[in-house]
Amino acid sequence: MSQVTLIIDEKPITVDEGTFLYEAIRELGIEIPAPCRYPFLAPRPACRLCVCEVYEGKGPSKIVTSCNYPVKAGMVVHTDTQIVSEARRTALINLIQRCAPNRLLAELSVDLDIAQPDWGHKHVTCIFCKLCIRACDELVGAHALSFKRIGPEDTTPIKIDPAKCILCGACAFVCPTEHIHMEDIEGRPLQHHDLRLGPNAAITLSFRQAVPNVPRIHPEDCIHFEIGGCKVCSEVCPKDCIHYDQQDEFEDVEVGAIVVATGFQDFGAGAMKQYGYGQLSNVMSALEFEKMNNAAGPTGGRILMENGREPRSIAILHCIGSRDQNHHKYCSRVCCMYALKFAHLVREKTEADVYEFYIDLRAYGKGYEEFYSRILDEGVNIIRGKGAEVVPADSARKSEGDLLVRCEDTLVGKYREVPVDMVILCTALEARSDAKELARVLNISTGADGWFIEAHPKLAPVSTTTDGVFLAGACQSPKDIPDTVAQGGAAAAQAMKLMNKGEVLMDAAYAEIMEQFCSGCRICNGLCPYSAISYDDQKRVSFVNPAMCKACGTCVAACPAGAIAARHFSDDQIYAQIEGIFA
């Protein structure tokens, strides 16, 4: 593309031919007002505040709107002359005479020395730039907005078609005067259950340490996947990395070992109705509280209630879903220590009182007991008794807190009601819902709670019953970070040991099928827990893969024809051992 050189405020600049004058001005770092401009919509000078004085050739100067005026070679531009200021002042007065007071025009009035703006309407802060309607039509494609005639008492000139509006918020995003804005139906500035580690947008980095550390599009929030419009992200991506029609691809990869590290999932606190999760404001899960404390999160790491204020008191309830006969009987192991960490963070960041409701505090590990003692010194209230119920505070106790936590203090043997502003539920760690499906694929086992089972709890804690498949982290059982890292290292070492060796050592004992006696009934095929038996269609008999057989004997006992024998465990050998015992 050819380029042109022009002079703006006595500064030369070279830009691509066809560039609009406003973009060249901004490239020099010169700021001029242009509230009706949005970079992803074709320019339409509605406000006329971006005017400049232009000299072209030998003729007189002229006033042009820079947002839609293309640059020309040799053009001389002035952005801050007396005639430009007068033109902008006239344009601003026209805008003011059509709308009600608003922050944008009030600030421009100060900049352009308009001492007493003559506002033209009592309620409507819209400047009729039409950006919202154009964004809805040209960018989103919803066609949900249009202008309507207004009277003196009307509050908006914008007519919204509810049947077409998808609540994407694009109109509010581009509105320069905030005449259109999005707000929670209950007026809450913050919604705990919508907190994410990154910004609340349709395309985000999951979190800073994500692997791979690349943005991902959330189809459920993306305008393009909703109605096919937008595509702004693909326009701004310099490397053309965004493809909306990309499909999942499945590849077969040959590997020598597999380390399973699929982790856990959080217990759904909504299953325990007595705690009001999802029903009461400011009752949140531990994961949501952790996200709110993230310095890169939506609150900047501040601890806030949904009304935007800091809480006066916080209750932290242990064992939600764990050590519970109705849900998970096991201890989630990590809750006590992260609950104490939460108490420390609350005391460090706020003036709030903290109440910990626990069954037993299990602070084992290096430095953990010392940390518990430190929490006690920080003034945290430790109450031995599982929180039984969270209810809204009645009018008599509303001044002390919006919520009441009911429990039995087992140390003093009394029923207590503790008023607080916020409740944090320390939810159980549970096995992933798809763990059994993965176990079937990898031919490994899961326990009654869904966790993957190791080959031996003491002698082979990272191995499985399938050679070459190892376990790491919380997919095996609840674990804290140090234990997860240690087990991950052990699993990686086991995998490297196997790959360096380059071969698998077979057990001396394994099952053998005597083809002459096999009837081809295939009963053994379905019974083998290690998938070591296959069927030969040509010979019409089953056969055993010795490398996969663990000599469990299931097939030997089940074969109706007696065609399967276990090596080193033949009838003659067993009889000989019995005779040897009684000899």
Side-chain angles (χ1 to χ4, degrees):
M1 180 178 291
S2 60
Q3 295 188 315
V4 297
T5 300
L6 64 157
I7 297 175
I8 301 176
D9 289 347
E10 300 180 357
K11 297 178 182 177
I13 182 172
T14 301
V15 296
D16 293 336
E17 187 177 9
T19 302
F20 290 120
L21 181 55
Y22 178 84
E23 297 168 0
I25 293 172
R26 291 295 303 268
E27 195 168 327
L28 281 175
I30 301 172
E31 296 287 341
I32 61 174
C36 70
R37 180 183 179 276
Y38 183 63
F40 302 105
L41 291 173
R44 292 185 185 177
C47 68
R48 302 189 65 81
L49 289 171
C50 62
V51 293
C52 295
E53 185 178 6
V54 173
Y55 291 89
E56 295 178 356
K58 297 182 180 179
S61 65
K62 59 182 179 181
I63 296 296
V64 301
T65 50
S66 62
C67 68
N68 69 333
Y69 198 81
V71 297
K72 296 178 182 177
M75 177 186 289
V76 178
V77 181
H78 296 288
T79 65
D80 191 18
T81 61
Q82 181 65 29
I83 190 172
V84 169
S85 297
E86 289 297 331
R88 289 178 186 164
R89 189 177 294 110
T90 301
L92 181 58
I93 291 173
N94 289 335
L95 294 176
I96 290 173
Q97 290 176 345
R98 287 189 292 174
C99 64
N102 60 75
R103 180 184 56 80
L104 173 69
L105 297 192
E107 291 176 357
L108 289 173
S109 299
V110 174
D111 295 341
L112 297 176
D113 296 328
I114 300 176
Q116 294 182 339
D118 183 17
W119 301 102
H121 200 281
K122 289 195 296 184
H123 309 295
V124 175
T125 55
C126 175
I127 61 172
F128 300 88
C129 65
K130 213 179 177 180
L131 263 185
C132 54
I133 297 175
R134 294 182 58 210
C136 188
D137 292 346
E138 302 172 22
L139 203 60
V140 179
H143 306 286
L145 304 183
S146 60
F147 276 137
K148 66 178 182 181
R149 296 178 65 86
I150 59 171
E153 299 302 324
D154 286 335
T155 57
T156 181
I158 307 297
K159 180 181 178 182
I160 301 177
D161 185 347
K164 296 180 179 178
C165 180
I166 61 171
L167 293 175
C168 65
C171 52
F173 182 77
V174 300
C175 180
T177 63
E178 299 178 353
H179 176 72
I180 301 178
H181 57 275
M182 302 283 285
E183 62 182 29
D184 180 61
I185 194 169
E186 297 179 4
R188 296 171 299 181
L190 178 67
Q191 298 179 42
H192 290 148
H193 303 320
D194 287 340
L195 292 179
R196 295 177 179 170
L197 286 178
N200 288 347
I203 179 167
T204 61
L205 278 173
S206 299
F207 53 96
R208 289 183 176 180
Q209 294 79 24
V211 179
N213 195 10
V214 296
R216 65 180 292 264
I217 296 176
H218 305 278
E220 63 276 11
D221 300 326
C222 178
I223 294 174
H224 175 73
F225 287 98
E226 178 81 15
I227 57 176
C230 194
K231 294 187 176 182
V232 168
C233 52
S234 64
E235 293 182 25
V236 300
C237 181
K239 296 186 177 179
D240 193 25
C241 294
I242 297 177
H243 305 282
Y244 302 101
D245 55 352
Q246 191 174 31
Q247 300 294 322
D248 292 337
E249 296 180 0
F250 297 90
E251 296 183 6
D252 294 329
V253 180
E254 291 189 3
V255 297
I258 298 174
V259 177
V260 182
T262 51
F264 66 95
Q265 67 183 30
D266 201 29
F267 173 74
M272 304 184 76
K273 303 293 184 185
Q274 62 269 37
Y275 298 117
Y277 179 79
Q279 302 172 357
L280 300 176
S281 297
N282 302 310
V283 176
M284 58 196 306
S285 70
L287 187 60
E288 291 164 352
F289 186 75
E290 187 74 47
K291 291 175 181 175
M292 187 165 62
N293 275 277
N294 188 291
T299 66
R302 297 181 60 196
I303 299 172
L304 300 173
M305 298 192 296
E306 291 192 339
N307 60 11
R309 292 189 289 110
E310 282 193 355
R312 295 166 295 177
S313 54
I314 296 178
I316 303 174
L317 276 58
H318 296 219
C319 300
I320 305 301
S322 57
R323 304 184 69 188
D324 191 314
Q325 295 293 325
N326 297 318
H327 298 283
H328 299 302
K329 297 179 182 178
Y330 56 82
C331 171
S332 284
R333 191 174 176 181
V334 300
C335 308
C336 287
M337 291 315 299
Y338 79 60
L340 297 179
K341 184 195 76 171
F342 286 169
H344 173 71
L345 291 174
V346 172
R347 296 295 294 169
E348 184 180 66
K349 295 182 177 182
T350 72
E351 299 296 327
D353 294 326
V354 182
Y355 299 89
E356 296 261 2
F357 295 84
Y358 72 99
I359 302 176
D360 294 309
L361 270 175
R362 298 180 173 181
Y364 65 91
K366 185 178 181 181
Y368 289 3
E369 187 66 24
E370 292 86 340
F371 185 70
Y372 171 52
S373 300
R374 177 181 171 183
I375 293 301
L376 295 178
D377 294 338
E378 291 178 354
V380 175
N381 302 289
I382 307 294
I383 299 174
R384 188 175 186 276
K386 185 175 181 178
E389 189 179 23
V390 178
V391 297
D394 54 30
S395 56
R397 307 196 68 177
K398 195 76 172 179
S399 59
E400 301 176 72
D402 296 330
L403 303 167
L404 281 181
V405 179
R406 292 171 174 166
C407 74
E408 179 187 6
D409 190 333
T410 57
L411 290 182
V412 296
K414 288 185 177 180
Y415 168 75
R416 297 183 62 176
E417 287 186 347
V418 180
V420 295
D421 284 334
M422 180 184 289
V423 173
I424 303 168
L425 305 176
C426 297
T427 47
L429 277 60
E430 61 183 16
R432 293 184 59 86
S433 58
D434 57 356
K436 289 187 181 298
E437 175 62 21
L438 181 61
R440 187 189 63 78
V441 173
L442 297 177
N443 197 27
I444 58 179
S445 303
T446 59
D449 294 313
W451 305 105
F452 294 124
I453 296 178
E454 66 281 357
H456 192 284
K458 295 180 180 177
L459 303 179
V462 300
S463 301
T464 66
T465 51
T466 299
D467 292 334
V469 179
F470 305 99
L471 303 177
C475 67
Q476 183 193 22
S477 64
K479 287 184 180 63
D480 61 7
I481 294 175
D483 287 355
T484 298
V485 172
Q487 193 182 26
Q494 289 288 339
M496 292 179 65
K497 173 185 173 184
L498 182 63
M499 291 186 289
N500 287 336
K501 188 181 295 181
E503 58 186 14
V504 177
L505 295 179
M506 293 171 48
D507 292 334
Y510 57 86
E512 288 181 319
I513 295 179
M514 294 171 280
E515 296 182 359
Q516 66 274 25
F517 299 131
C518 180
S519 62
C521 65
R522 307 190 196 185
I523 292 176
C524 54
N525 289 233
L527 291 176
C528 180
Y530 306 103
S531 301
I533 305 178
S534 302
Y535 183 73
D536 189 330
D537 291 326
Q538 294 183 348
K539 294 182 178 179
R540 296 179 180 275
V541 295
S542 295
F543 65 95
V544 176
N545 183 344
M548 299 177 66
C549 180
K550 298 299 179 183
C552 66
T554 303
C555 55
V556 177
C559 181
I564 308 177
R567 280 170 55 90
H568 308 301
F569 290 95
S570 65
D571 291 346
D572 293 340
Q573 289 172 318
I574 293 176
Y575 285 140
Q577 290 177 1
I578 295 173
E579 291 173 356
I581 293 173
F582 290 104

